[in-house]
Amino acid sequence: MARTRNKSLQAKLVLLGDMGAGKTSLVLRFVKGEFSEYQESTIGAAFFTHVLSLNEATVKFDIWDTAGQERYHSLAPMYYRGAAAAIVVYDITSMDSFVRAKKWVREVQRQANSSLTMFLVANKADLEDERKVRYEEGEEYAKENGLSFLETSAKTAQNVNELFYEIAKRLVKANPSRQSGMKLHTRPGETRRGFLCCT
Amino acid sequence: MDEEYDVIVLGTGLKECILSGLLSVDGLKVLHMDRNDYYGGESTSLNLIQLWKRFRGDDKPPPHLGASRDYNIDMNPKFIMANGNLVRVLIHTDVTKYLSFKAVDGSFVFNKGKVHKVPANDMEALKSPLMGLFEKRRARKFFIYVQNYNESDPKTHEGMDLTRVTTKELIAKYGLDDNTIDFIGHALALHSDDRYLAEPALDTVKRMKLYAESLARFQGGSPYIYPLYGLGELPQAFARLSAVYGGTYMLNKPECKVEFDEEGKVVGVTSEGETAKCKKVVCDPSYLPGKVRKVGRVARAIAIMSHPIPSTDDSHSVQIILPQKQLGRKSDMYLFCCSYTHNVAPKGKFIAFVSTEAETDQPAIELKPGIDLLGPVDEIFFDIYDRYEPVNEPTLDNCFVSTSYDATTHFESTVDDVLNMYTLITGKVIDLSVDLSAASAAEE
C-alpha cells in the first residue's frame, strides 16, 4: 500500500496583545522551552522560525512578535501581510488587558486577510489567585467572534505546545495559499553571465 | 516621552528608517516619530482612501475601483537594482526576512517615437532594432571592455585612466554613433541628463557594470526587483529592525518641534506638550525647513489602469526610459508600472507612474509624452513637489537632515545619502562589499 505523501506548509503567525501580556514568553516557551521571570522587551529577536511535524504534514512557522511597536499604536501594516494565523494574548490578572485584547481582535479583522485563523489566548493561568478575568468571559467572547480559545501559562508551559499544534492542525486543514514572490538569501556559488555578449 | 535618547529621528521615510535601524543595531537609544499615522513619509505607499484624501480632498473613491486596502500606491516610484546598494543594505541588516520580491519583467527605452525592449540577453540584443548590425559589433567590443574593466587591475584599463578620460572620449575610441551613445548613457548607465559625457568615464563604466551585474543577478527580464505590497514595505521593514533592537516608535505625533540651546545645539523634540531630550536629531527636510534649501522639483503623474502599458509585451512590471534628447528636454522622463501581481492593486488593475525633474509649473502638459504611452486610464493624479538638501553644519547643531528623493529610477543615490549620513552621525563607515557576493534568491 502506497504511503500518502507528506504535505509541507509554511505559514506566517503573528502575535498581538498588550505589552506585558506574555506574547514573547509564549513564543520562547514554545520555540526554545525557556521562561524568564524578569524578561524585558526582547532585544534583537522578534522573528522566529519553528518546524512542527504532524502525522499528515510538516508545518514551518514564521513567528512574528511585535518588537514593542504596539506600545504607542505604531504597528506597521506589513506585520499583518500574508499572515495565516494570529494569536491575540491577554493576561488573566488584568481586566484592562482583556479589554484591549478585544480591540486587537477587531484590528486584526480589519487589517488581515479574512481567511486567517485567530486564537484568543488567556495567559498567566498559573496566577489563579490573582485572576480578574473569568474563563467563561474569555471563552464566550471568543465564541461570539469566531475565534478559538485557550488558557495558557508560559511559565508552567501549560497548553503552550497544545496551542501551536492546534494552530498547525487548523492550517493544514484550511490549506492557505502560499504567497508568491522570492526571498533574497545568502547563498554561495553564484554563476556569472556575460553582459549582452558571448565570452 | 519626557525621556532622554541618543538620537531622535523625525519622519519615517526610507532614509530615516534605514538610519533608525542602523543606529539601534549599534546600541544607540533611538526614538522615532512621525506626524502622520502611517509609515513612509514621502516614500510611503498609500491605500485608495489615503490617495483620494491626498489628491482629491474630501471626495471618495468610486466603488468600482475595488477595496481601498488592496491598493499600495507608491509615492516615490523607483525600482531596486538587483545588485545595488539597497540590496546590500537589506542583506547586511537581514531585513530581507520581512520582505518578498519579484523580478521586474522588463526595461524599455523610448527611441524615435517607439518603445523598445532594452535587451536582457544575447538573443534579444541581436534582434533589437535599436542598433544596426555593424553598430552592434562595435558596441559589443565596448561592452566587453566594460565587462572586463577592473578598477584595481591596470591591465584591464587598456592604457586609459578613466578618472581623467571623459565618457565622450572613451566612447569615441569605439566609434559608436550618437544614437548608441544615447542608449548606453540613458538606458544602461541610467544617467538622467547628458552631463556625463564631459565628465570622467569611471562613473559611467561603474554604472554600466552595475546594470549588467543586476541583470545577471536573478536572470530576469530587467536589472530590477520590486517588493510585494509596494515600496512602502521598505521603510516599515527597517522600522521593524529598529524596534527589534530597542527603537521606540510613535506615529501620529503632530508638530514635532526641534528645540535648541543658546549655542544653537539641539537639545530635544517637543510634541503635544512633552519634550524628549536627545544628543542628535535625524530628520527629513520637512521637519527642519529652516535648515534646507530648494534644489529642484519633481513632476509626477499617477494612473490607475485596467491594462498593461501598450508595447511592453503585456508586462506586469516595467520601466520605460524616455531620454531627454528624444523629448527635447533637459532631463529624462521615466514610466513605471506594477500591478495586482505585486499586491499593489486589486485583481485586474495596474498602477503606472510618470516622473521627471520638473521644468515647468504644469505637470499635466509637461508629462504628456509619457502619459500618451499609457493608453486609456481609469483615474490619473498629478503632483509637483520641491526637492531640498541640507545647508546646516551638523558638527555645530547636531542635526542631520536627509536630501529629498530625486526622480531617478532606482535607490542608488538614496542609499549613498544614507551611508554618508550614517558616517556623519557615528563617525563609522559601513562595509557592504562582502554581503552581496553570496546573495541569491529562491522562490518561496
Side-chain angles (χ1 to χ4, degrees):
Chain A
M1 176 175 171
R3 185 168 152 271
T4 319
R5 189 194 305 271
N6 208 7
K7 183 157 55 167
S8 178
L9 200 70
Q10 184 163 355
K12 175 174 171 177
L13 167 64
V14 297
L15 289 135
L16 293 149
D18 260 16
M19 292 191 100
K23 303 189 292 298
T24 307
S25 295
L26 275 175
V27 179
L28 287 176
R29 169 60 77 188
F30 173 58
V31 172
K32 297 179 192 284
E34 295 169 0
F35 179 83
S36 170
E37 186 83 51
Y38 305 106
Q39 183 166 305
E40 288 296 320
S41 289
T42 317
I43 299 291
F47 181 90
F48 305 86
T49 61
H50 196 77
V51 177
L52 279 184
S53 296
L54 309 179
N55 286 339
E56 64 273 35
T58 301
V59 178
K60 181 191 176 190
F61 280 125
D62 290 330
I63 304 171
W64 290 54
D65 200 351
T66 59
Q69 280 178 287
E70 77 281 24
R71 183 175 176 192
Y72 299 105
H73 315 288
S74 299
L75 206 50
M78 85 170 324
Y79 193 73
Y80 302 94
R81 305 266 198 232
I87 298 174
V88 178
V89 185
Y90 69 89
D91 173 353
I92 66 162
T93 72
S94 165
M95 180 58 69
D96 282 347
S97 173
F98 180 54
V99 168
R100 283 191 289 268
K102 295 176 182 177
K103 290 181 182 169
W104 281 115
V105 168
R106 288 192 289 276
E107 181 69 5
V108 173
Q109 286 166 342
R110 190 176 72 87
Q111 291 258 26
N113 60 61
S114 53
S115 61
L116 165 138
T117 295
M118 204 184 327
F119 268 73
L120 182 64
V121 168
N123 194 37
K124 308 197 185 184
D126 54 291
L127 300 177
E128 183 63 38
D129 291 350
E130 300 170 47
R131 180 188 284 272
K132 294 289 193 300
V133 186
R134 287 180 301 114
Y135 180 97
E136 291 77 17
E137 281 181 274
E139 185 185 41
E140 189 174 327
Y141 178 80
K143 192 179 297 180
E144 285 166 2
N145 289 273
L147 318 182
S148 301
F149 180 72
L150 214 54
E151 285 203 342
T152 61
S153 168
K155 185 172 183 181
T156 67
Q158 174 191 336
N159 274 347
V160 173
N161 282 352
E162 289 84 344
L163 167 64
F164 287 92
Y165 271 91
E166 186 60 30
I167 292 171
K169 279 185 234 167
R170 286 166 191 259
L171 291 182
V172 169
K173 198 174 301 181
N175 196 33
S177 60
R178 289 182 57 148
Q179 176 168 274
S180 61
M182 61 191 184
K183 285 292 195 186
L184 303 182
H185 289 297
T186 303
R187 183 196 291 174
E190 183 79 19
T191 53
R192 184 158 293 276
R193 252 181 52 196
F195 177 37
L196 297 178
C197 57
C198 317
T199 51
Chain B
M1 285 176 71
D2 291 322
E3 256 193 83
E4 198 153 350
Y5 296 88
D6 293 310
V7 181
I8 295 181
V9 184
L10 302 175
T12 55
L14 177 58
K15 294 185 182 186
E16 290 71 46
C17 287
I18 297 177
L19 285 164
S20 182
L22 294 173
L23 298 172
S24 294
V25 170
D26 281 355
L28 297 185
K29 188 173 179 181
V30 176
L31 170 62
H32 201 159
M33 299 193 284
D34 197 303
R35 64 172 75 84
N36 301 300
D37 65 352
Y38 54 81
Y39 284 94
E42 294 306 312
S43 48
T44 191
S45 301
L46 300 180
N47 62 41
L48 203 64
I49 288 172
Q50 289 168 325
L51 184 77
W52 238 257
K53 185 174 175 183
R54 177 150 160 172
F55 289 99
R56 301 266 171 98
D58 288 330
D59 211 4
K60 290 291 195 295
H64 73 266
L65 290 179
S68 171
R69 80 174 189 189
D70 286 343
Y71 286 86
N72 293 293
I73 299 176
D74 299 331
M75 289 297 107
N76 185 38
K78 292 176 188 284
F79 286 142
I80 302 169
M81 297 293 292
N83 219 57
N85 278 343
L86 183 54
V87 170
R88 291 168 196 266
V89 172
L90 287 162
I91 291 172
H92 176 79
T93 56
D94 204 18
V95 159
T96 57
K97 67 193 173 195
Y98 304 136
L99 299 159
S100 290
F101 299 88
K102 282 199 166 182
V104 172
D105 291 340
S107 180
F108 292 75
V109 65
F110 183 76
N111 182 268
K112 294 173 181 168
K114 286 186 182 176
V115 171
H116 301 278
K117 180 89 179 336
V118 177
N121 54 55
D122 290 342
M123 201 162 306
E124 288 183 355
L126 278 177
K127 289 180 188 171
S128 174
L130 286 165
M131 294 176 211
L133 181 60
F134 294 112
E135 186 71 358
K136 281 176 185 174
R137 285 190 195 166
R138 289 187 285 267
R140 186 172 177 277
K141 287 183 180 177
F142 180 55
F143 293 151
I144 290 173
Y145 168 78
V146 168
Q147 178 183 323
N148 290 336
Y149 182 85
N150 179 346
E151 200 170 353
S152 56
D153 182 1
K155 291 200 305 293
T156 65
H157 299 180
E158 296 188 10
M160 286 180 284
D161 176 2
L162 296 194
T163 63
R164 298 190 319 121
V165 170
T166 66
T167 306
K168 189 168 183 177
E169 287 163 351
L170 172 64
I171 292 181
K173 181 179 168 171
Y174 289 89
L176 300 172
D177 70 30
D178 282 351
N179 198 54
T180 302
I181 294 171
D182 212 46
F183 169 76
I184 290 171
H186 293 259
L188 300 181
L190 304 170
H191 289 294
S192 56
D193 54 44
D194 274 352
R195 285 177 297 172
Y196 70 99
L197 289 170
E199 287 166 359
L202 184 57
D203 180 50
T204 296
V205 168
K206 281 182 168 179
R207 285 162 165 259
M208 290 176 69
K209 287 176 80 75
L210 173 62
Y211 191 98
E213 290 159 3
S214 294
L215 200 58
R217 176 65 53 204
F218 303 126
Q219 316 275 312
S222 83
Y224 303 110
I225 58 175
Y226 182 78
L228 293 185
Y229 299 101
L231 296 171
E233 299 296 279
L234 296 170
Q236 292 178 47
F238 283 104
R240 179 170 166 82
L241 172 71
S242 180
V244 165
Y245 281 89
T248 299
Y249 274 85
M250 298 185 181
L251 298 182
N252 215 11
K253 298 294 280 185
E255 205 216 321
C256 301
K257 184 169 181 290
V258 184
E259 311 280 0
F260 299 91
D261 65 15
E262 316 82 58
E263 296 166 4
K265 208 170 278 278
V266 69
V267 293
V269 175
T270 300
S271 176
E272 296 179 313
E274 294 180 307
T275 300
K277 294 175 188 169
C278 65
K279 298 166 188 157
K280 297 175 180 176
V281 157
V282 175
C283 67
D284 75 49
S286 69
Y287 288 88
L288 282 174
K291 293 182 183 284
V292 299
R293 67 171 175 173
K294 187 173 149 179
V295 291
R297 288 190 310 171
V298 173
R300 172 165 304 133
I302 301 165
I304 302 175
M305 312 189 305
S306 299
H307 56 83
I309 296 181
S311 305
T312 61
D313 308 323
D314 286 330
S315 298
H316 276 251
S317 52
V318 294
Q319 167 193 263
I320 304 176
I321 298 168
L322 289 74
Q324 57 165 114
K325 200 176 290 182
Q326 300 290 320
L327 303 176
R329 290 171 42 84
K330 293 175 192 158
S331 293
D332 291 3
M333 192 173 293
Y334 303 105
L335 271 67
F336 294 88
C337 181
C338 45
S339 83
Y340 61 96
T341 58
H342 305 87
N343 298 343
V344 297
K347 179 120 187 182
K349 293 300 188 197
F350 294 68
I351 310 295
F353 308 86
V354 186
S355 300
T356 190
E357 188 75 16
E359 292 168 18
T360 74
D361 284 331
Q362 301 176 72
I365 295 173
E366 182 165 355
L367 297 169
K368 188 174 189 299
I371 293 166
D372 286 348
L373 296 179
L374 297 182
V377 305
D378 301 336
E379 298 283 349
I380 192 161
F381 308 83
F382 293 97
D383 194 14
I384 191 161
Y385 67 85
D386 294 325
R387 288 196 302 106
Y388 297 97
E389 69 179 14
V391 294
N392 67 309
E393 187 57 56
T395 54
L396 296 180
D397 57 13
N398 285 331
C399 296
F400 303 84
V401 186
S402 64
T403 300
S404 303
Y405 302 96
D406 53 30
T408 60
T409 69
H410 50 61
F411 288 98
E412 299 310 294
S413 60
T414 297
V415 175
D416 286 343
D417 190 27
V418 167
L419 297 177
N420 290 335
M421 289 178 74
Y422 177 81
T423 300
L424 281 177
I425 297 162
T426 66
K428 295 191 281 186
V429 176
I430 296 177
D431 179 10
L432 298 173
S433 59
V434 295
D435 299 288
L436 203 63
S437 61
S440 186
E443 292 293 328
E444 289 206 283

